């Protein structure tokens, strides 16, 4: 207890993030991954017919050629359910084995009940802690970090972590700055307690937030500040609104910083990392982060071309696709990094 207090005070003093490894009783590893993309594709050529843009501009400026759109009868927990089933299968577990569900999303089925509880029911999981977290595009890394610490402390053994979004329902398809970027997807991992001697484990996580620039990316409608009203509807507060160019600058800076922290903390260099999985927001941002570390593009998982930006889902979906097609395999060091509305950011380094 005293050691914990000292650790907290030291971390607060140095304003460095408190790292779970300080008090870990157990290691946490990723036992299974899963993902799901809705079938319907919205291509750049489709967007050309909806808003003043071009396939050439979108491809060159973002690296995106198409994104997926959920069917009208699908909700966010449906995407998560498919991803979760795949992750549980890979982990050789059933939903009854889960001890907690953490659901990262900014596009939940509804404000209440939370999406984790809806998913708990759809999965047929036991009476377990089920909570949503809202950290936008960093949500999955935040969620997996929380799961790691719960498992490391010994209170939980198997935690399902979801990153799932249906962002297309909040897009203004007249706003070309934003609507060309986002898509829908669900990703999942099962985090579990590592057995003694197992090399697969999460090494560290470093999470950040800078609320002083939170106005760069907002979705106002439905909260207590901007309740549902005709007036707020007329102002377009039911759409996501983003200052893209400003965010771009912070994206490369924050992701590079948190990756540097991860490497420094673990006394590693870019050469020790087998794969980096950055949040898939824009190919130029991804390239910028890789360049910062001198990491060749061949070591970067890039899935943005046919998926677009799916916020909390981009990292678990990219991870799962790379695991299933054989790019990523057990024993490799994987560095995850993200930034998003808030402005939140972070990194997580693990041996898969
Ligand atoms: O997950 C986190 C959330 N957000 C992000 O990651 C977004 C980060 N930002 C970005 O990815 C980029 O800033 C954007 C893709 C949003 C925009 O690209 P950009 O290279 O920063 O473009 P810009 O905003 O500087 O605009 C350059 C030009 C402007 O025209 P003028 O003023 O130079 O004549 C824009 O009006 O491009 C124009 N433009 C477009 N043209 C065709 C902006 N959007 C479009 C478009 N199609 N969709």
């Amino acid at each position: 207890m005293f050691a914990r207090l000292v650790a907290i005070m030291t971390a607060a003093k140095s304003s460095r993030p408190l790292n779970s490894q300080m008090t870990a009783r157990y290691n946490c590893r990723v036992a299974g991954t899963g993902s799901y993309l809705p079938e319907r594709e919205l291509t750049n050529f489709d967007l050309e017919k909806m808003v003043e843009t071009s396939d050439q501009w979108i491809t060159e400026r973002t690296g995106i050629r198409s994104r997926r759109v959920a069917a009208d009868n699908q909700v966010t927990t449906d995407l998560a359910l498919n991803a979760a089933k795949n992750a549980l299968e890979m982990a050789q577990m059933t939903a009854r084995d889960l001890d907690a569900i953490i659901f990262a999303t900014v596009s939940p089925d509804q404000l209440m009940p939370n999406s984790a509880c809806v998913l708990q029911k759809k999965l047929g999981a036991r009476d377990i802690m089920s909570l949503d977290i809202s950290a936008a595009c960093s949500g999955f890394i935040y969620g997996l970090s929380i799961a790691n610490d719960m498992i490391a402390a010994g209170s939980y053994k198997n935690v399902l972590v979801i990153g799932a979004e249906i962002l297309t329902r909040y897009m203004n398809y007249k706003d070309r700055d934003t609507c060309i970027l986002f898509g829908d997807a669900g990703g999942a991992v099962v985090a579990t307690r590592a057995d003694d001697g197992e090399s697969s484990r999460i090494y560290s996580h470093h999470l950040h937030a800078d609320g002083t620039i939170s106005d760069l990316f907002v979705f106002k409608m439905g909260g207590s500040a901007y309740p549902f009203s005709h007036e707020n509807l007329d102002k377009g507060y039911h759409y996501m609104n983003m200052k893209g160019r400003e965010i771009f600058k912070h994206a490369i800076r924050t992701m590079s910083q948190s990756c540097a922290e991860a490497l420094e903390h673990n006394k590693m260099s870019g050469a020790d990392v087998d794969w980096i999985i950055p949040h898939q927001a824009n190919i130029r941002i991804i390239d910028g982060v890789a360049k910062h570390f001198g990491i060749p593009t061949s070591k970067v998982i890039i899935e943005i071309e046919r998926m677009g930006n799916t916020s909390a889902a981009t990292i678990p979906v990219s991870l799962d696709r790379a695991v299933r097609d054989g790019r990523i395999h057990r024993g490799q060091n994987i560095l995850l990094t993200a930034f998003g509305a808030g402005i939140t950011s972070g990194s997580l380094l693990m041996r898969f």
Side-chain angles (χ1 to χ4, degrees), residues 53 57 61 137 176-177 242 244-245 279 281-282 284 309:
T53 191
W57 191 95
R61 305 302 292 170
C137 306
R176 68 179 184 175
D177 291 344
M242 182 183 73
R245 202 180 304 181
H279 169 48
N282 185 320
R284 291 183 293 137
N309 183 344

Side-chain angles (χ1 to χ4, degrees), residues 83 113 146 159 179 199 274 291 309 341 344 347:
I146 294 167
V159 182
C179 74
S199 67
D274 293 290
K291 205 169 148 198
N309 183 344
T344 57
S347 66

Side-chain angles (χ1 to χ4, degrees), residues 51-54 57-58 61-62 136-137 175-182 217 242-249 251 279-285 309-311 314 339-341:
V51 67
E52 199 187 330
T53 191
S54 66
W57 191 95
I58 303 173
R61 305 302 292 170
T62 72
C137 306
D175 172 12
R176 68 179 184 175
D177 291 344
T178 309
C179 74
I180 53 134
L181 294 171
F182 294 95
F217 193 10
M242 182 183 73
K243 296 186 176 106
R245 202 180 304 181
E246 293 301 308
I247 291 185
F248 192 97
K249 290 183 228 155
H279 169 48
Q280 313 277 303
N282 185 320
I283 192 69
R284 291 183 293 137
I285 295 174
N309 183 344
T310 59
S311 189
T314 72
F339 76 98

Side-chain angles (χ1 to χ4, degrees), residues 86-108:
N86 294 338
L88 284 165
E89 194 184 6
M90 189 189 289
Q92 299 183 311
M93 289 184 203
T94 73
R96 310 287 303 169
D97 296 316
L98 294 173
D99 302 313
I101 298 173
I102 298 175
F103 199 124
T105 188
V106 286
S107 50

Side-chain angles (χ1 to χ4, degrees), residues 21 70 224:
Q21 269 59 39
S224 58

Side-chain angles (χ1 to χ4, degrees), residues 218-247:
V218 294
F219 173 56
K220 292 181 168 172
M221 189 86 141
S224 58
Y226 303 97
F228 289 100
S229 68
H230 287 294
E231 197 190 339
N232 286 337
L233 203 61
D234 290 343
K235 287 179 181 163
Y237 287 173
H238 55 303
Y239 293 129
M240 285 192 173
N241 189 283
M242 182 183 73
K243 296 186 176 106
R245 202 180 304 181
E246 293 301 308
I247 291 185

Side-chain angles (χ1 to χ4, degrees), residues 20-312:
S20 62
Q21 269 59 39
M22 289 177 184
T23 53
R25 286 175 62 196
Y26 299 101
N27 287 330
C28 165
R29 70 180 177 94
V30 169
T33 65
S35 62
Y36 172 79
L37 296 179
E39 275 175 31
R40 196 176 134 208
E41 242 185 311
L42 182 68
T43 67
N44 292 350
F45 297 106
D46 295 328
L47 283 167
E48 281 182 355
K49 294 173 202 140
M50 298 160 73
V51 67
E52 199 187 330
T53 191
S54 66
D55 170 58
Q56 190 188 355
W57 191 95
I58 303 173
T59 310
E60 283 177 9
R61 305 302 292 170
T62 72
I64 302 168
R65 290 183 191 275
S66 69
R67 64 290 294 143
R68 300 298 180 96
V69 179
D72 292 345
N73 62 355
Q74 281 180 316
V75 292
T76 307
T77 53
D78 292 328
L79 313 194
L81 178 66
N82 285 311
K85 283 180 177 169
N86 294 338
L88 284 165
E89 194 184 6
M90 189 189 289
Q92 299 183 311
M93 289 184 203
T94 73
R96 310 287 303 169
D97 296 316
L98 294 173
D99 302 313
I101 298 173
I102 298 175
F103 199 124
T105 188
V106 286
S107 50
D109 290 7
Q110 62 257 312
L111 286 180
M112 194 174 74
N114 71 26
S115 294
C117 287
V118 177
L119 181 64
Q120 178 210 27
K121 177 182 157 195
K122 286 183 177 176
L123 274 171
R126 292 178 292 113
D127 169 4
I128 52 174
M129 182 189 101
S130 301
L131 87 158
D132 285 13
I133 59 165
S134 172
C137 306
S138 312
F140 176 77
I141 289 187
Y142 267 54
L144 186 53
S145 302
I146 294 167
N148 174 73
D149 290 3
M150 288 161 57
I151 290 167
S155 332
Y156 296 81
K157 201 170 173 199
N158 302 319
V159 182
L160 176 67
V161 184
I162 299 286
E165 307 279 7
I166 295 189
L167 295 172
T168 56
R169 301 224 169 118
Y170 306 102
M171 285 304 122
N172 176 0
Y173 284 99
K174 290 188 175 128
D175 172 12
R176 68 179 184 175
D177 291 344
T178 309
C179 74
I180 53 134
L181 294 171
F182 294 95
D184 306 332
V189 303
V190 177
T192 192
R193 184 189 296 173
D195 291 331
D196 286 343
E198 224 167 359
S199 67
S200 289
R201 69 182 179 95
I202 291 174
Y203 292 126
S204 66
H205 55 74
H206 293 85
L207 305 178
H208 295 275
D210 182 359
T212 63
I213 45 172
S214 57
D215 61 333
L216 294 182
F217 193 10
V218 294
F219 173 56
K220 292 181 168 172
M221 189 86 141
S224 58
Y226 303 97
F228 289 100
S229 68
H230 287 294
E231 197 190 339
N232 286 337
L233 203 61
D234 290 343
K235 287 179 181 163
Y237 287 173
H238 55 303
Y239 293 129
M240 285 192 173
N241 189 283
M242 182 183 73
K243 296 186 176 106
R245 202 180 304 181
E246 293 301 308
I247 291 185
F248 192 97
K249 290 183 228 155
H250 293 292
I252 297 181
R253 180 182 56 80
T254 55
M255 289 206 289
S256 299
Q257 277 173 1
S258 57
C259 285
E261 271 180 315
L263 295 177
E264 190 193 331
H265 180 88
N266 293 288
K267 300 188 175 38
M268 288 185 185
S269 73
D272 298 311
V273 175
D274 293 290
W275 293 101
I276 175 164
I277 309 183
H279 169 48
Q280 313 277 303
N282 185 320
I283 192 69
R284 291 183 293 137
I285 295 174
I286 294 172
D287 287 345
V289 174
K291 205 169 148 198
H292 186 93
F293 285 102
I295 292 178
T297 319
S298 56
K299 285 172 77 172
V300 185
I301 303 292
I302 301 172
E303 292 289 328
I304 194 172
E305 189 178 336
R306 300 275 163 204
M307 185 167 86
N309 183 344
T310 59
S311 189

